[in-house]
Amino acid sequence: MKKAALAHLAQSGAEIAVRVTPRAARNMVTVTETGLKVSVTTVPEDGKANAAVIKLVAHALGVPKSALTLTRGATSRDKTFRLD
């Protein structure tokens, strides 16, 4: 996905629902009616998949990684991020 392709979702204070698929064939972000679907190639151990998700979502939104805060779902496939 192009950088800032989802910039219209980047509103300060917004909560973004994300469904994560680890160990995918390739990294990608898609928009669904309930939020974002993120596929990452990394394994879900020691927070590696969460770091990859933050990197991909930040790139898609066109914001720095530090602007995203994981509020729910650190060990779940369903996560919620807050945009600061």
Side-chain angles (χ1 to χ4, degrees), residues 27-77:
N27 292 329
M28 86 177 149
V29 178
T30 56
V31 179
T32 65
E33 55 271 350
T34 58
L36 299 178
K37 181 180 177 192
V38 179
S39 300
V40 293
T41 58
T42 57
V43 294
E45 61 184 32
D46 299 328
K48 293 177 187 175
N50 284 342
V53 169
I54 290 172
K55 182 178 177 181
L56 281 174
V57 171
H59 180 78
L61 293 174
V63 297
K65 293 185 291 186
S66 60
L68 289 174
T69 305
L70 179 64
T71 57
R72 276 183 291 213
T75 59
S76 171
R77 291 181 64 188

Side-chain angles (χ1 to χ4, degrees), residues 1-19 29-38 56-64 67-69 80-84:
M1 182 168 277
K2 290 177 152 181
K3 183 173 175 110
L6 301 176
H8 62 280
L9 297 176
Q11 299 173 1
S12 183
E15 297 243 334
I16 302 167
V18 176
R19 174 77 172 181
V29 178
T30 56
V31 179
T32 65
E33 55 271 350
T34 58
L36 299 178
K37 181 180 177 192
V38 179
L56 281 174
V57 171
H59 180 78
L61 293 174
V63 297
L68 289 174
T69 305
T80 303
F81 289 96
R82 185 181 69 245
L83 186 62
D84 297 328

